[in-house]
Amino acid sequence: MRADTGSEWTEAGVFPVAPGVHRVPLPLPMDGLRAVNVYVIEDDDGPVMIDGGWALEQSRTLLSTALGELGYRPGDIRRFLVTHLHRDHYTQAVSLRREVGARVSLGIGEKPAIDLLLTDDPLRRFEPQIVALRASGADALIERLQRAELMEGPEEIWEAPDDWLEQGAQIPLRERTLLAIPTPGHTQGHVVFADPEAGLLFAGDHVLPHITPSIGFEPLTAELPLRDYLGSLRVVLDLPDMRLLPAHGPVTESVHGRAKELLDHHDDRLGNCLAAVASGATTAHDVASLLGWTRRQRRLDSLDDFNQMLAVVETHAHLELLAATGRVTAVTSSGPTIYSVGTGDPGA
């Protein structure tokens, strides 16, 4: 085990972040995020995991090695507390449950999406993104994604959890009691796990230190996922400030500081989207083409197709919130949604 300096947070290993709590980065090959942090909490009956990683052989091997450094084997894992249903958080938990019998818990808000994945064509997991892209006037992008089969994805392990975490659920462990707090936005059922006594927030993808989480990238999306996400940022601001233990990126000292930055970012983005519409952009794709992307402020057409999809869908979410609050007018007929500067009450 080594000190958690955060300088190279994707480097494999076991990093203690608090007494009895260890960060373990697991690989995400072919993913720009590069790694996902899972957290091992030592407990009387065996370790409890926050998130499980992606069910890949390389990830499974590194997790076994990390557990070995702590004196455990995968069979000792007692429970997985999973923040949300995305493959890099959920699928390895389900895979290991088959192998070692560990209990898997997931937020109740993910149940409709899990039900869909279990009972329907798994390719429909991307249907909301296709709908949003069509409404955004991005048909050419859809065609490129489909030609490259980027909207299909590999076969994944989807099973229901052993139990659904309701709002306010408390998880008593040896040295701490974790609170499961719903934070919809990134997905409808996303939860964070708070340890107020130790001052720790296992934030999943809700609050990330270096990037802004995608909004509503899931098989079933909420009516206004950005509104939900902004509300969930305010939820964590209503909690005492804690150390941020994110799924992607280094551990940092203040959840509040980063949550405020994310709120400011989206406020700026809403203003930029409004300005783009006022300048004559009419579709979400047009607006996205006028915005800068990533910290380097790259043009939309300089991104790969998958990240263009994320950018256009995020822009669509911002414009839909502007329309819902009366700051733009949205007109939908047989083609893409057309936006114009609205005359409604911005405070609606």
Side-chain angles (χ1 to χ4, degrees):
M1 291 184 288
R2 290 165 288 165
D4 195 0
T5 64
S7 59
E8 290 292 340
W9 73 270
T10 62
E11 183 180 354
V14 179
F15 302 90
V17 296
V21 180
H22 309 272
R23 182 178 69 86
V24 177
L26 297 178
L28 298 179
M30 300 175 295
D31 191 310
L33 293 173
R34 297 173 56 205
V36 59
N37 293 321
V38 301
Y39 294 89
V40 181
I41 302 175
E42 298 183 65
D43 202 49
D44 283 337
D45 299 328
V48 172
M49 303 285 303
I50 305 293
D51 286 332
W54 188 5
L56 301 169
E57 183 177 351
Q58 181 183 3
S59 177
R60 172 70 169 75
T61 298
L62 286 177
L63 179 58
S64 295
T65 299
L67 289 170
E69 288 191 38
L70 296 170
Y72 297 117
R73 299 171 301 171
D76 296 323
I77 298 172
R78 180 162 66 88
R79 189 175 186 183
F80 287 95
L81 300 171
V82 183
T83 57
H84 63 293
L85 59 72
H86 284 162
R87 67 186 185 184
D88 55 326
H89 298 256
Y90 189 61
T91 57
Q92 187 156 256
V94 172
S95 176
L96 279 168
R97 177 178 62 180
R98 292 179 175 180
E99 180 182 337
V100 304
R103 182 177 167 197
V104 176
S105 303
L106 189 66
I108 185 65
E110 302 290 38
K111 189 174 188 305
I114 289 289
D115 288 346
L116 176 64
L117 291 168
L118 291 176
T119 61
D120 210 334
D121 180 355
L123 297 185
R124 286 193 61 196
R125 76 185 73 166
F126 294 109
E127 184 173 334
Q129 285 69 52
I130 295 292
V131 170
L133 290 173
R134 291 205 186 283
S136 300
D139 286 351
L141 177 57
I142 294 173
E143 291 176 7
R144 294 200 304 273
L145 290 165
Q146 291 176 332
R147 267 200 312 273
E149 299 183 343
L150 291 177
M151 300 303 285
E152 296 184 10
E155 184 177 350
E156 304 287 2
I157 300 171
W158 299 111
E159 294 178 0
D162 296 287
D163 50 73
W164 297 104
L165 297 170
E166 303 279 354
Q167 182 168 352
Q170 298 189 15
I171 302 103
L173 306 178
R174 179 183 67 190
E175 299 290 342
R176 66 196 79 238
T177 295
L178 300 179
L179 307 178
I181 301 170
T183 48
H186 182 63
T187 67
Q188 292 186 67
H190 193 290
V191 297
V192 298
F193 297 100
D195 181 353
E197 291 296 320
L200 305 175
L201 187 77
F202 300 92
D205 282 3
H206 179 51
V207 180
L208 299 175
H210 292 158
I211 61 174
T212 57
S214 61
I215 305 300
F217 187 65
E218 54 185 327
L220 293 169
T221 56
E223 180 182 5
L224 291 171
L226 180 58
R227 179 185 61 188
D228 294 343
Y229 180 67
L230 298 178
S232 294
L233 288 175
R234 297 184 182 100
V235 165
V236 300
L237 287 175
D238 287 338
L239 300 170
D241 199 9
M242 292 178 265
R243 294 185 76 201
L244 171 60
L245 276 58
H248 307 285
V251 172
T252 59
E253 294 306 311
S254 173
V255 173
H256 283 188
R258 182 54 179 160
K260 290 173 183 176
E261 290 176 354
L262 288 166
L263 284 168
D264 288 344
H265 164 79
H266 284 290
D267 188 54
D268 288 344
R269 211 58 161 174
L270 288 165
N272 292 337
C273 288
L274 180 59
V277 173
S279 74
T282 58
T283 68
H285 186 269
D286 291 341
V287 172
S289 298
L290 296 177
L291 302 177
W293 296 97
T294 78
R295 287 179 291 175
R296 299 177 182 176
Q297 294 297 295
R298 295 173 58 184
R299 291 178 51 86
L300 179 69
D301 59 11
S302 74
L303 304 176
D304 63 68
D305 287 339
F306 187 82
N307 280 295
Q308 284 191 47
M309 181 266 295
L310 292 178
V312 173
V313 169
E314 179 177 319
T315 304
H316 177 263
H318 281 78
L319 289 167
E320 289 297 287
L321 183 57
L322 287 172
T325 54
R327 299 175 71 184
V328 300
T329 297
V331 176
T332 303
S333 56
S334 58
T337 300
I338 302 299
Y339 299 95
S340 59
V341 174
T343 57
D345 177 7

Coordinates of all heavy atoms in Angstrom, one line a residue, residues 10-12 39 45 60 64 83 104 123 136 150 175 179 187 207 237 247 253 276-277 286 292 294 322 336:
T10 N -4.9 6.9 -11.8 CA -5.3 5.7 -12.5 C -4.3 4.6 -12.2 O -4.5 3.4 -12.6 CB -5.4 6.0 -14.0 OG1 -4.1 6.4 -14.5 CG2 -6.4 7.1 -14.3
E11 N -3.2 4.9 -11.6 CA -2.1 3.8 -11.4 C -2.7 2.7 -10.5 O -3.3 3.0 -9.4 CB -0.9 4.5 -10.7 CG 0.3 3.5 -10.5 CD 1.4 4.2 -9.8 OE1 1.4 5.5 -9.7 OE2 2.4 3.5 -9.5
A12 N -2.4 1.5 -10.9 CA -2.9 0.3 -10.1 C -2.3 0.3 -8.7 O -1.1 0.7 -8.5 CB -2.6 -1.0 -10.9
Y39 N -13.9 1.2 -3.8 CA -13.4 1.5 -2.5 C -13.7 0.2 -1.6 O -14.8 -0.3 -1.7 CB -14.1 2.7 -1.9 CG -13.7 4.0 -2.6 CD1 -14.5 4.4 -3.7 CD2 -12.6 4.7 -2.2 CE1 -14.1 5.6 -4.3 CE2 -12.2 5.9 -2.9 CZ -13.0 6.3 -3.9 OH -12.6 7.4 -4.6
D45 N -17.2 -8.9 9.1 CA -17.5 -10.2 8.4 C -16.9 -10.3 7.1 O -17.1 -11.2 6.3 CB -19.0 -10.3 8.3 CG -19.7 -10.4 9.6 OD1 -19.1 -10.9 10.6 OD2 -20.9 -9.9 9.7
R60 N -10.7 -8.0 -13.0 CA -10.9 -9.0 -12.0 C -9.5 -9.4 -11.4 O -9.4 -9.6 -10.1 CB -11.5 -10.2 -12.6 CG -11.6 -11.5 -11.8 CD -12.6 -11.3 -10.6 NE -12.8 -12.6 -10.0 CZ -12.0 -13.3 -9.2 NH1 -10.8 -12.7 -8.9 NH2 -12.3 -14.4 -8.7
S64 N -8.4 -8.8 -7.4 CA -7.9 -9.9 -6.6 C -6.5 -9.5 -5.9 O -6.3 -9.8 -4.8 CB -7.8 -11.2 -7.4 OG -9.0 -11.6 -7.8
T83 N -23.2 2.6 -6.8 CA -23.8 3.9 -6.9 C -24.8 4.0 -8.0 O -25.7 4.8 -7.9 CB -22.7 4.9 -7.1 OG1 -21.9 4.6 -8.2 CG2 -21.8 5.0 -5.8
V104 N -25.5 -7.7 -3.5 CA -25.4 -6.5 -4.3 C -26.6 -5.6 -4.0 O -27.7 -6.1 -4.1 CB -25.3 -6.9 -5.8 CG1 -25.3 -5.6 -6.6 CG2 -24.1 -7.8 -6.1
L123 N -30.1 -3.8 -27.1 CA -29.7 -2.6 -28.0 C -30.6 -1.4 -27.7 O -30.2 -0.3 -28.1 CB -29.8 -3.0 -29.5 CG -28.9 -4.2 -29.9 CD1 -28.9 -4.4 -31.4 CD2 -27.4 -3.9 -29.5
S136 N -32.2 16.7 -32.0 CA -31.2 17.7 -32.1 C -30.7 18.0 -33.5 O -29.9 18.9 -33.7 CB -30.0 17.2 -31.3 OG -30.3 17.0 -29.9
L150 N -21.1 1.8 -32.8 CA -20.8 2.3 -31.5 C -22.0 2.4 -30.6 O -21.9 2.6 -29.4 CB -20.2 3.7 -31.7 CG -18.8 3.8 -32.3 CD1 -18.4 5.2 -32.5 CD2 -17.8 3.0 -31.5
E175 N -17.4 0.1 11.9 CA -16.9 1.3 12.4 C -17.7 2.6 11.9 O -17.3 3.7 12.2 CB -15.4 1.5 12.0 CG -14.5 0.4 12.5 CD -14.3 0.5 14.0 OE1 -14.5 1.6 14.5 OE2 -13.8 -0.5 14.6
L179 N -25.0 6.3 4.9 CA -26.3 6.7 4.5 C -26.4 6.7 3.0 O -25.5 7.3 2.3 CB -26.6 8.2 5.0 CG -26.4 8.4 6.5 CD1 -26.6 9.9 6.8 CD2 -27.3 7.5 7.3
T187 N -27.7 9.2 -13.6 CA -28.8 8.3 -13.9 C -29.9 8.6 -12.9 O -29.7 9.2 -11.9 CB -28.3 6.8 -13.8 OG1 -28.0 6.6 -12.4 CG2 -27.1 6.5 -14.6
V207 N -20.4 13.7 -8.3 CA -19.4 14.8 -8.2 C -18.0 14.2 -8.5 O -17.5 13.4 -7.8 CB -19.4 15.4 -6.8 CG1 -18.4 16.6 -6.7 CG2 -20.8 15.9 -6.4
L237 N -24.8 19.9 -1.1 CA -24.4 21.1 -0.5 C -25.2 21.3 0.8 O -24.7 22.0 1.7 CB -24.7 22.3 -1.4 CG -23.7 22.5 -2.6 CD1 -24.2 23.6 -3.5 CD2 -22.3 22.7 -2.1
A247 N -15.6 8.4 -8.2 CA -15.3 7.2 -9.0 C -14.3 7.4 -10.1 O -13.6 6.4 -10.5 CB -16.6 6.7 -9.7
E253 N -10.4 17.2 -1.0 CA -10.8 17.5 0.4 C -12.2 18.1 0.6 O -12.7 18.1 1.7 CB -9.8 18.5 1.0 CG -8.4 17.9 1.1 CD -8.4 16.6 1.9 OE1 -9.1 16.5 3.0 OE2 -7.8 15.6 1.4
A276 N -26.3 31.3 -27.8 CA -26.2 30.7 -29.1 C -27.6 30.7 -29.9 O -27.7 31.0 -31.1 CB -25.7 29.3 -29.0
V277 N -28.7 30.5 -29.1 CA -30.0 30.5 -29.7 C -30.3 32.0 -30.1 O -30.8 32.3 -31.2 CB -31.1 30.0 -28.8 CG1 -32.5 30.2 -29.3 CG2 -30.8 28.5 -28.5
D286 N -26.8 22.5 -33.7 CA -26.2 23.9 -34.1 C -25.6 24.5 -32.9 O -24.5 25.1 -32.9 CB -27.3 24.8 -34.6 CG -27.8 24.3 -36.0 OD1 -27.1 23.6 -36.7 OD2 -28.9 24.8 -36.4
G292 N -17.6 25.3 -26.8 CA -16.3 24.7 -26.6 C -16.5 23.4 -25.7 O -17.3 23.4 -24.8
T294 N -14.6 20.1 -23.6 CA -13.5 19.7 -22.7 C -12.8 20.9 -22.2 O -13.1 22.1 -22.6 CB -12.4 18.8 -23.4 OG1 -11.6 19.6 -24.3 CG2 -13.1 17.7 -24.2
L322 N -33.9 25.1 -20.5 CA -34.2 26.5 -20.8 C -35.6 26.6 -21.3 O -36.3 27.6 -21.0 CB -33.2 27.0 -21.9 CG -31.8 27.2 -21.4 CD1 -30.9 27.5 -22.7 CD2 -31.7 28.4 -20.5
P336 N -36.4 18.0 -36.4 CA -35.7 18.3 -35.1 C -36.5 19.4 -34.4 O -37.2 20.2 -34.9 CB -34.3 18.8 -35.5 CG -34.5 19.3 -36.9 CD -35.5 18.4 -37.5

